[in-house]
Amino acid sequence: MKAYAYAPGKIIVCGEHFVVYGATALAAAINKGTTALAESSSTTTIYSNNLKVQADLSASNIPEKLKPLAAAITAVKEYLNERRGVKLKIRSDLPPRSGLGSSSSSAVATVAATALALGHKLSLDEVIKLAMSAERLVHKNPSGVDVQVSARGGLLLFKKGATPEALHLSRTVNFVVACTGVERRTSDLIERVRVWREQNPSLFNSFVESSTIMSWCCADALCSGDLRRAGAILNFFHAALSWLGISIKEIDTIVEAALSSSALGAKLTGAGGGGSVIILCSEEGVENVIKTVSNVASEVFATPLPNRGLKSWLQKS
Ligand code: MEV
């Protein structure tokens, strides 16, 4: 039997970085993600179609880029007390290191497909717990928001350590994602914000509180279809995150281009320092925004919300 799992990537609508320090963030699954194919085997091998890299878990020299997936498989095997291994193949249509949750969607899909290939359908909570072991290897001190969104899908209000609140959108909300093409490591950006916080502790704490309040307001605005209000909140978040020093010229150029066309709001999403910009649009504005930002971004695509979370299935070989 072949076991498949698909898990989407994510955008942080608002509250990134502050969420690491206890703020509530608003995040959503997008329409791109990662598919894992696993088959039970006596040994464990991993092949990444995007990276064109292969690893054998019995070897000592596992390529750095595949270590998080190796950790995810090991976590599943230990949890299930399994001696068998899996032959895992992974393919993603998410640009890597672009702030769109490629590592978490890979971890979630890997955990679910591995368990299924070994004869176990894990609950969503079990998948999330096991995928976090891979995510910790990549991001050191992650809040867990990326893994939660990838597994659960939809639009979520997330606070570290609590069960996320799933929100209902009364109608489709249109975002455009524009990638800078500048790759960066989330852990480096988390460290940069940690240093900023150490130097400005009271101000940072007040931002954490503001971030929660503004994420609630943005959730309310999106759910009730008040896109102008949601867009205004996104713009303010972009200013605050830039002030922390995590925006770069390429991001600001995209934000400026988006707002000069028909965007309702635009901000960096995820860790910053490169990665991607999210742009909130009316349905009629999407085409115009895509045309304008395509001149200054490396990759641009529309992602209407909501989108599904983890899905896993078996197929006869
Ligand atoms: C990364 O997608 C979002 C950050 O807030 C880190 C985290 O929450 O783990 C920057």
Side-chain angles (χ1 to χ4, degrees):
M1 280 291 218
K2 290 181 171 179
Y4 286 89
Y6 167 81
K10 64 89 195 32
I11 52 172
I12 309 264
V13 179
C14 45
E16 50 272 269
H17 286 292
F18 305 115
V19 68
V20 173
Y21 299 95
T24 296
L26 181 63
I30 61 173
N31 57 0
K32 287 183 187 283
T34 305
T35 303
L37 158 63
E39 287 174 277
S40 141
S41 164
S42 53
T43 57
T44 293
T45 54
I46 306 173
Y47 176 69
S48 162
N49 205 70
N50 299 72
L51 303 170
K52 304 276 180 261
V53 188
Q54 172 137 0
D56 180 342
L57 253 62
S58 58
S60 53
N61 57 341
I62 299 168
E64 206 56 40
K65 288 184 172 169
L66 293 183
K67 280 188 178 163
L69 298 186
I73 294 173
T74 304
V76 174
K77 283 181 59 178
E78 279 174 13
Y79 182 71
L80 298 175
N81 207 7
E82 262 290 351
R83 296 174 74 124
R84 284 175 300 164
V86 286
K87 223 168 82 185
L88 182 93
K89 285 186 186 154
I90 194 138
R91 172 194 295 271
S92 182
D93 57 3
L94 288 163
R97 293 187 173 175
S98 58
L100 301 174
S102 71
S103 61
S104 48
S105 81
S106 299
V108 168
T110 295
V111 165
T114 300
L116 200 56
L118 297 173
H120 302 263
K121 180 108 182 161
L122 298 176
S123 71
L124 222 44
D125 284 338
E126 287 173 313
V127 171
I128 290 165
K129 196 170 145 228
L130 294 168
M132 279 304 288
S133 60
E135 195 67 351
R136 273 189 210 100
L137 266 192
V138 187
H139 296 329
K140 311 271 188 316
N141 180 27
S143 64
V145 61
D146 295 12
V147 166
Q148 289 278 356
V149 175
S150 184
R152 294 179 194 277
L155 177 68
L156 300 180
L157 271 171
F158 170 89
K159 185 175 161 60
K160 200 173 175 176
T163 303
E165 185 186 341
L167 302 173
H168 175 73
L169 289 168
S170 54
R171 60 181 115 125
T172 303
V173 169
N174 292 286
F175 275 97
V176 168
V177 175
C179 308
T180 59
V182 178
E183 294 190 11
R184 79 293 172 279
R185 284 152 61 110
T186 297
S187 52
D188 295 344
L189 276 303
I190 291 181
E191 175 59 15
R192 200 183 296 175
V193 173
R194 190 193 65 75
V195 170
W196 198 99
R197 175 177 180 256
E198 213 168 78
Q199 288 161 359
N200 309 273
S202 303
L203 184 55
F204 191 89
N205 285 343
S206 82
F207 277 173
V208 170
E209 201 184 332
S210 313
S211 180
T212 293
I213 293 168
M214 287 168 74
S215 291
W216 288 338
C217 286
C218 191
D220 182 62
L222 288 179
C223 290
S224 63
D226 187 351
L227 300 186
R228 276 179 65 88
R229 182 156 57 106
I233 293 171
L234 297 196
N235 294 339
F236 239 75
F237 262 107
H238 184 67
L241 292 166
S242 299
W243 202 45
L244 296 191
I246 59 163
S247 190
I248 57 168
K249 195 168 160 294
E250 287 85 345
I251 293 176
D252 292 338
T253 303
I254 294 173
V255 168
E256 180 59 30
L259 294 175
S260 77
S261 69
S262 29
L264 298 164
K267 64 177 271 294
L268 69 82
T269 188
S276 306
V277 170
I278 51 165
I279 305 160
L280 179 63
C281 306
S282 64
E283 199 182 337
E284 312 75 59
V286 171
E287 208 182 300
N288 187 243
V289 164
I290 289 181
K291 206 168 147 210
T292 309
V293 298
S294 290
N295 297 320
V296 287
S298 72
E299 189 176 336
V300 182
F301 62 94
T303 184
L305 307 185
N307 292 289
R308 64 166 314 134
L310 172 66
K311 180 184 163 201
S312 57
W313 66 99
L314 283 168
Q315 192 178 294
K316 284 197 181 117
S317 301

